Amino acid sequence: MTVDEMRRELQRRLKKSRFAHSIGVANTAVALAKKFGADETKAYIAGLLHDCAREFENDELPAQAKLRGIEIGDVERAMPLLLHAYIGAQMITEIYGVDDAEISQAIYRHTVGAANMSTLDKIIYFADMIEPNRNYPGVENLRALVDEKSLDEIFLTALSESIIFVVQKNSLVHPATVAARNFLLLNKRE
Ligand SMILES: [Fe+2]
Ligand SMILES: [Fe+2]
């Protein structure tokens, strides 16, 4: 599929606001790839397709995960929405013909993160938080970091904000998010 065909297919499958969000993440990811040195085409495709599994309703996600041999952990069982990242990482090949391990990994990791994330992984995670349609208290502060900080400094702030957010909601903290943040702190370059 060409990128144009991917866009059309995605538009057909997602509701309007989710598609607009996807375009926002794709464009933001390209800008971040330019700034921090990642493949711009991969950034666009990963951003575009990162939420492709959101075509399923939340209550369909566990069955869709099982269908693909995805293991469902305790946190995912309690919050099935998280499964869209792992399902999406496979659907890009099934539906959109994208056979690229880096893009797939970035989509897999876009919601809860992981230890040792690649530049593309970090870009997609952060683009998802700051794309232009996002509107929540503090988003402007996160956007402003792009011109001031390194990608790792930005990503550390993003992870900390995510953890604070879920803790304040009394929600579960996914261990992968803690692993992502600890990895950054333990491997900080001076
Ligand atoms: Fe997502
Ligand atoms: Fe998203």
Side-chain angles (χ1 to χ4, degrees):
M1 248 186 221
T2 65
V3 174
D4 218 41
E5 287 165 339
M6 289 177 203
R7 226 177 358 240
R8 274 199 296 271
E9 184 64 24
L10 188 74
Q11 185 167 27
R12 205 173 63 72
R13 288 171 172 267
L14 294 187
K15 68 173 190 185
K16 226 175 170 173
S17 58
R18 179 75 42 197
F19 179 71
H21 163 69
S22 302
I23 297 291
V25 175
N27 291 331
T28 304
V30 170
L32 294 173
K34 275 197 182 107
K35 173 131 189 136
F36 296 113
D39 185 305
E40 292 171 33
T41 306
K42 290 191 187 202
Y44 187 87
I45 294 171
L48 182 71
L49 299 179
H50 80 287
D51 271 344
C52 68
R54 295 295 296 269
E55 70 170 72
F56 300 117
E57 299 295 334
N58 284 356
D59 60 1
E60 297 176 291
L61 290 171
Q64 289 296 328
K66 271 193 206 112
L67 212 60
R68 293 172 175 80
I70 295 164
E71 221 187 294
I72 301 177
D74 289 339
V75 179
E76 285 79 8
R77 205 179 317 282
M79 296 192 290
L81 179 63
L82 298 178
L83 295 168
H84 81 276
Y86 319 143
I87 297 167
Q90 296 192 26
M91 280 178 73
I92 59 166
T93 314
E94 295 163 20
I95 309 286
Y96 301 91
V98 178
D99 185 15
D100 184 292
E102 289 175 18
I103 295 174
S104 179
Q105 176 176 288
I107 293 177
Y108 190 95
R109 295 176 163 183
H110 88 266
T111 307
V112 294
N116 200 7
M117 282 170 65
S118 70
T119 300
L120 184 65
D121 297 346
K122 292 170 191 168
I123 284 173
I124 299 304
Y125 185 96
F126 191 59
D128 192 25
M129 288 179 87
I130 64 157
E131 63 92 10
N133 299 290
R134 290 287 201 201
N135 185 14
Y136 54 86
V139 68
E140 284 306 334
N141 297 336
L142 287 177
R143 287 185 184 123
L145 296 177
V146 175
D147 294 320
E148 296 164 6
K149 304 278 187 190
S150 72
L151 183 59
D152 275 350
E153 288 171 318
I154 292 170
F155 186 50
L156 178 61
T157 305
L159 289 165
S160 298
E161 294 284 325
S162 302
I163 291 171
I164 290 166
F165 178 72
V166 294
V167 168
Q168 280 173 343
K169 280 200 310 181
N170 257 343
S171 194
L172 292 160
V173 180
H174 198 289
T177 314
V178 177
R181 185 171 179 278
N182 283 350
F183 185 92
L184 272 186
L185 289 173
L186 291 169
N187 295 280
K188 227 176 186 169
R189 272 186 291 168
E190 294 310 320

